[in-house]
């Protein structure tokens, strides 16, 4: 369980665990025949670590387990113990505030799409597990106050894909949409599904306030079942903010008084412009501010409770 | 340019080149932070090598270059020279008949979707190049004679995806569809696009013979611009087989007298059953046989011509 190399990781480098042991972040770590690399045959979760505590780890692991069942991917034994060990090492190396990504792939495979056959332990059938803990400061005040701009991506999300709703490694469409947004001078891209309904951003869920009601697209519009999305819906319920899942059209963003994006890493970030057109008055609004504050309090409360155990 | 390890690869092992040098196929070779692994941010091509000659290498490289432009991915300098060196090594190691896969990813990246910035040579901006040459016997007579069965996949292909038509690393949907087919006792899965038109199989293009005309779905139905697909259309033209690109519906397969799948690795393979229902008389038909023979002759002719240079 010791590093391959004596040098500690640089300040921006991750603490990196591959298949159960800490490794030199410079690598190499993986086979070029790993199906995660050759075919995106795997899943991941990205979580936030606050003061050494992973926020809603149980929800992330449940989503990962669900995806693994759907893809018939056997999760590594001792995943939680490996995660705990990696987290301890990361905290010891000054990464108590961090992003933590777990990546699981189906491991090394022969050419073609068919997975390696044979039971656990069969040659070539071992999954690959990567845990990467990158330092990440708590909260990002400037992002929260100024907000983001977005365009509508030219390509569509597919709500009827084989892996719709699963957090697979296949993010190249999101990368292309983000590049399109940045080329247009925007921060983010929003996807429509194949029916023309709003889906989500490249790696965040979308919320909009319409007639005072906080709405987010249903999962049937190819929105990922975000852990932060679920937390925001819970908070709205608790705080008496009228809310719900609702099919949204692009025109609804013009009518919206506020909008924001949610993800584990970004938390809750105001979305204040679509193209050149402001959403509401182009500033973060009262509902967004309430949700940002409530989310910060939720994080503080849950993490303090877990840290005290 | 020598192997890291003295042992030659085992008989089923690939000859493997990573970033310009031959490596031990057992690895490791890649960083766990490679965007090919974490985000499917890359492209690939799979080609057939016959007697040490790559069939239609120029077409594969042109498709790769097109994809790289679309994804703003800089292909490695000296790609063709590296390919030639890898191929020579493979032939020297008894892999004159082989599949050859080139994989290019955007290389190591920080967390998140945004690609590493900075010009060529900037830290983290180096692409990863993998060349894998797996031994593969010439032709597969049993496959050609008995043919394959397919189901319709439960999930759809997205003809309006950001990366539609590009051979990106995102194959997890195809893997899930193939697993679904195999669970149903079939060999393959055919995708419909989001409008319900036939698209292609998990990694092959689809052809069907309807009223004596050889038809294949247009690229607008989320069919990949297959190199073998294009060769078959050329051969149909040459041999006076009436043919064309045409939007096909699932019902057309019931009406079809013949069908087959094409890919570089599989070449031309009869598709003889959809679920329990035979296509035509459930055997490979005369058009399919003509195309198989013509394709074999094309391969022999082109490769012999190139080998003689």
């Amino acid at each position: 369980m010791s590093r391959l190399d004596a040098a500690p990781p640089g300040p921006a480098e991750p603490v990196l665990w591959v298949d159960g042991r800490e490794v030199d972040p410079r690598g190499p770590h993986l086979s070029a025949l790993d199906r995660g690399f050759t075919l995106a045959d795997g899943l991941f979760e990205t979580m936030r670590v606050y003061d050494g505590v992973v926020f809603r780890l149980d929800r992330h692991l449940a989503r990962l387990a669900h995806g693994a069942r759907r893809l018939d991917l056997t999760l590594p034994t001792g995943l939680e113990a490996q995660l705990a060990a990696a987290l301890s090492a990361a905290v010891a190396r000054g990464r108590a505030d961090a992003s933590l990504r777990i990546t699981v792939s189906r491991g090394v495979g022969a050419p073609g799409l068919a997975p390696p056959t044979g039971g656990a332990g069969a040659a070539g059938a071992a999954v690959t597990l990567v845990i990467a803990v990158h330092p990440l400061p708590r909260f990002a005040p400037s992002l929260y106050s100024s907000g983001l701009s977005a365009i509508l991506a030219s390509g569509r999300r597919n709500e009827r894909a084989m892996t719709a709703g699963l957090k697979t490694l296949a993010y190249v469409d999101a990368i292309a949409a983000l590049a399109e947004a940045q080329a247009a001078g925007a921060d983010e891209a929003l996807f429509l599904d194949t029916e023309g309904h709003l889906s989500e951003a490249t790696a965040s869920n979308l919320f909009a306030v319409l007639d005072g009601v906080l709405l987010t697209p249903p999962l049937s519009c190819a929105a990922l079942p975000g852990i932060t999305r679920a937390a925001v819906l819970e908070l709205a319920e608790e705080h008496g903010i009228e809310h719900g899942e609702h099919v949204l059209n692009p025109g609804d963003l013009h009518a919206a008084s506020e909008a924001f994006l949610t993800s584990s890493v970004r938390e809750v970030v105001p979305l204040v412009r679509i193209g050149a057109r402001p959403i509401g008055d182009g500033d973060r609004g009262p509902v967004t501010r309430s949700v940002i504050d409530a989310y910060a309090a939720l994080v503080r409360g849950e993490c303090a409770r877990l840290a005290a155990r």
Side-chain angles (χ1 to χ4, degrees), chain A:
Chain A
M1 293 289 190
S2 63
R3 292 176 59 76
L4 283 183
D5 188 276
E13 277 181 323
V15 169
L16 197 60
W17 287 59
V18 178
D19 294 336
R21 64 198 182 93
E22 194 172 356
V23 296
D24 185 325
R26 289 168 299 184
H29 316 108
L30 304 179
S31 169
L33 306 175
D34 192 291
R35 290 169 60 95
F37 178 77
T38 56
L39 298 167
D41 190 10
L43 297 162
F44 74 104
E45 290 290 327
T46 304
M47 306 166 227
R48 269 301 280 267
V49 182
Y50 300 98
D51 266 348
V53 176
V54 181
F55 182 65
R56 299 211 160 172
L57 172 61
D58 53 339
R59 315 281 177 102
H60 284 281
L61 291 179
R63 187 170 65 179
L64 182 64
H66 167 74
R69 280 190 301 274
R70 284 273 306 279
L71 292 183
D72 197 16
L73 193 66
T74 306
L75 291 179
T77 50
L79 171 61
E80 291 191 52
Q82 288 190 45
L83 198 55
L87 186 61
S88 289
V91 170
R93 292 180 207 293
R95 281 147 181 78
D97 290 300
S99 69
L100 187 159
R101 176 173 158 143
I102 300 180
T103 308
V104 180
S105 84
R106 210 181 301 267
V108 170
L113 301 185
T117 51
V127 294
T128 297
L129 169 65
V130 174
I131 301 170
V133 187
H134 280 88
L136 188 68
R138 292 187 77 160
F139 310 111
S142 68
L143 197 65
Y144 291 127
S145 54
S146 63
L148 302 178
S149 63
I151 59 160
L152 294 183
S154 62
R156 298 287 178 95
R157 269 280 161 84
N158 182 5
E159 71 279 10
R160 287 183 293 172
M162 291 298 300
T163 62
L166 304 189
K167 208 165 167 64
T168 73
L169 301 176
Y171 263 67
V172 63
D173 274 42
I175 292 164
L178 184 62
E180 192 173 70
Q182 291 177 339
D187 303 304
E188 258 295 350
L190 301 180
F191 280 106
L192 304 183
D193 69 13
T194 69
E195 310 243 298
H197 304 309
L198 284 162
S199 175
E200 59 177 14
T202 59
S204 324
N205 288 110
L206 170 68
F207 284 81
V209 180
L210 273 155
D211 296 325
V213 184
L214 180 61
L215 298 173
T216 191
L219 304 184
S220 60
C221 293
L224 215 81
I227 309 297
T228 312
R229 174 182 181 276
V232 166
L233 290 173
E234 285 169 34
L235 289 171
E237 180 72 26
E238 260 173 49
H239 289 253
I241 301 169
E242 203 181 337
H243 65 280
E245 293 183 304
H246 203 278
V247 172
L248 296 173
N249 294 304
D252 291 329
L253 285 177
H254 299 316
S257 57
E258 306 179 37
F260 57 83
L261 304 179
T262 63
S263 79
S264 294
V265 167
R266 276 181 167 166
E267 305 174 323
V268 179
V269 183
L271 178 67
V272 297
R273 223 165 50 243
I274 300 294
R277 191 166 179 159
I279 294 176
D281 60 6
D283 205 350
R284 61 178 180 164
V287 176
T288 305
R289 283 201 302 273
S290 299
V291 170
I292 288 173
D293 292 344
Y295 189 78
L298 176 72
V299 163
R300 273 195 303 273
E302 285 197 12
C303 291
R305 212 157 41 241
L306 286 171
R309 287 203 313 205

